[in-house]
Amino acid sequence: MADESVWVNGTATSGGAGRSVAELVEEVSDRQTGIAVAVNQSVLTRAEWARTILAAGDRVEIVGAVQGG
Amino acid sequence: MDDPFELGGRTYSSRLIMGTGGSANLEVMEEALVASGTQLTTVAMRRLGTGHEGSVLDVLKRHGIEVLPNTAGCHTAAEAVLTARLAREALGTDLIKVEVVADDHLLLPDPVELLDAVETLVADGFTVLPYTNDDPILARRLEQAGCAAVMPLAAPIGSALGIRNPHNLSLITEAAQVPVIVDAGIGTASDAALAMELGCSAVMLATPVTRAEKPALMAAAMRDAVSAGRAARLAGRVPRRWHSGLASSPVEGLPTS
């Protein structure tokens, strides 16, 4: 299954390929504001979440603000 | 006295920028932020699922404090650029405090990677605030690259050692045409006052407040120290005289003469 995996925040996740970024974000986070997504080092706008379909091997970063600095 | 702090096209009445890192919990952080009077506060960007995200933004929103994302934890220009772009998308701000540290031991800025990141981010339309060494020449280069301010360290991050090289800091403030914000290494209120007396436009700190025994009390002390230091700078201090010939009382009319 490794070939079908999508990397989400550094972890190989099965079942990610073929789904949209919007679906993935909904699953990973109960918050939809204050977060951003990059796929393969490229940052997506929020409008691009629904129409970006993930492929096997994609590297997805989903980040939010934390205390720091 | 009307003395606004102008930064990247924005105007603030407070000259203290507080970080949110190091607080024991959100309640302590909130109390300290309010006591500090800060209007601009840093946050870091991290992967979701680490259990820390989210609620810090609610606190800032509640008090109308503007968010200043940083690129803390980045070691290369590429990492910092990606983090900055994520922050802009997540938080809807073009402000970015660029940190590119050389290692996790000293947390000192890597000047080569920093300048590289800054050039990319300025071209990308960010309002760039770089955390830098207290090197006057690097500060000049960062200003020339289009930074909205320069943020030289007083001492390494979290060290609380105070201003290790006031001469360098003075050289930077004398030459800079953009605001100089001392960042990192402040230990106590007198350090913050000294930074302002040396001509800095603002002070950025977190550790000395968030890890103090009484964070809110230290936050208020920092607020007052920044105000006092700024006033002293504007007031124009008297020159130092090693052998003072300037008595402060009249020399004539002594009853014993």
Side-chain angles (χ1 to χ4, degrees), chain B residues 146-187:
Chain B
C147 291
V150 289
M151 302 184 72
L153 53 76
I157 292 173
S159 69
L161 285 170
I163 298 170
R164 305 315 295 164
N165 195 334
H167 179 62
N168 268 20
L169 208 52
S170 292
L171 290 175
I172 294 171
T173 61
E174 277 170 23
Q177 300 296 310
V178 294
V180 177
I181 304 167
V182 78
D183 179 14
I186 297 293

Side-chain angles (χ1 to χ4, degrees), chain B residues 126-219:
Chain B
F126 282 89
T127 298
V128 180
L129 315 175
Y131 166 60
T132 174
N133 296 291
D134 60 351
D135 175 350
I137 308 307
L138 180 57
R140 183 197 298 168
R141 291 289 298 268
L142 290 166
E143 181 179 339
Q144 287 169 346
C147 291
V150 289
M151 302 184 72
L153 53 76
I157 292 173
S159 69
L161 285 170
I163 298 170
R164 305 315 295 164
N165 195 334
H167 179 62
N168 268 20
L169 208 52
S170 292
L171 290 175
I172 294 171
T173 61
E174 277 170 23
Q177 300 296 310
V178 294
V180 177
I181 304 167
V182 78
D183 179 14
I186 297 293
T188 188
S190 53
D191 300 329
L194 177 58
M196 298 304 290
E197 289 173 17
L198 292 172
C200 291
S201 295
V203 171
M204 153 94 215
L205 54 84
T207 301
V209 165
T210 59
R211 297 188 197 275
E213 282 182 34
K214 296 176 181 172
L217 188 56
M218 186 60 90

Side-chain angles (χ1 to χ4, degrees), chain B:
Chain B
M1 184 182 61
D2 191 31
D3 178 34
F5 169 42
E6 289 175 18
L7 178 67
R10 297 154 168 84
T11 303
Y12 306 94
S13 54
S14 167
R15 291 174 178 274
L16 177 58
I17 302 172
M18 232 194 93
T20 54
S23 283
N25 57 56
L26 281 175
E27 290 70 34
V28 172
M29 181 195 82
E30 183 167 5
E31 215 186 330
L33 284 173
V34 170
S36 76
T38 191
Q39 296 170 300
L40 186 62
T41 296
T42 59
V43 295
M45 303 305 294
R46 289 294 178 271
R47 287 170 166 170
L48 288 192
T50 46
H52 304 292
E53 71 274 358
S55 34
V56 62
L57 294 179
D58 298 334
V59 173
L60 302 188
K61 197 173 177 185
R62 188 150 61 234
H63 296 287
I65 300 172
E66 193 177 344
V67 65
L68 169 58
N70 67 27
T71 66
C74 293
H75 294 83
T76 65
E79 287 172 4
V81 168
L82 177 61
T83 303
R85 288 175 175 157
L86 283 164
R88 178 167 63 181
E89 186 58 33
L91 304 173
T93 177
D94 66 347
L95 282 177
I96 188 73
K97 183 186 161 202
V98 183
E99 294 184 30
V100 190
V101 297
D103 61 52
D104 292 327
H105 171 56
L106 293 171
L107 296 172
L108 287 169
D110 182 322
V112 178
E113 295 292 324
L114 176 66
L115 190 57
D116 187 358
V118 160
E119 286 169 346
T120 302
L121 292 170
V122 168
D124 203 6
F126 282 89
T127 298
V128 180
L129 315 175
Y131 166 60
T132 174
N133 296 291
D134 60 351
D135 175 350
I137 308 307
L138 180 57
R140 183 197 298 168
R141 291 289 298 268
L142 290 166
E143 181 179 339
Q144 287 169 346
C147 291
V150 289
M151 302 184 72
L153 53 76
I157 292 173
S159 69
L161 285 170
I163 298 170
R164 305 315 295 164
N165 195 334
H167 179 62
N168 268 20
L169 208 52
S170 292
L171 290 175
I172 294 171
T173 61
E174 277 170 23
Q177 300 296 310
V178 294
V180 177
I181 304 167
V182 78
D183 179 14
I186 297 293
T188 188
S190 53
D191 300 329
L194 177 58
M196 298 304 290
E197 289 173 17
L198 292 172
C200 291
S201 295
V203 171
M204 153 94 215
L205 54 84
T207 301
V209 165
T210 59
R211 297 188 197 275
E213 282 182 34
K214 296 176 181 172
L217 188 56
M218 186 60 90
M222 292 298 186
R223 176 199 64 204
D224 293 345
V226 168
S227 294
R230 174 67 179 174
R233 171 71 179 190
L234 295 178
R237 61 155 295 147
V238 296
R240 290 179 175 83
R241 296 171 197 271
W242 292 112
H243 305 285
S244 178
L246 195 67
S248 56
S249 304
V251 292
E252 288 170 5
L254 270 175
T256 55
S257 60

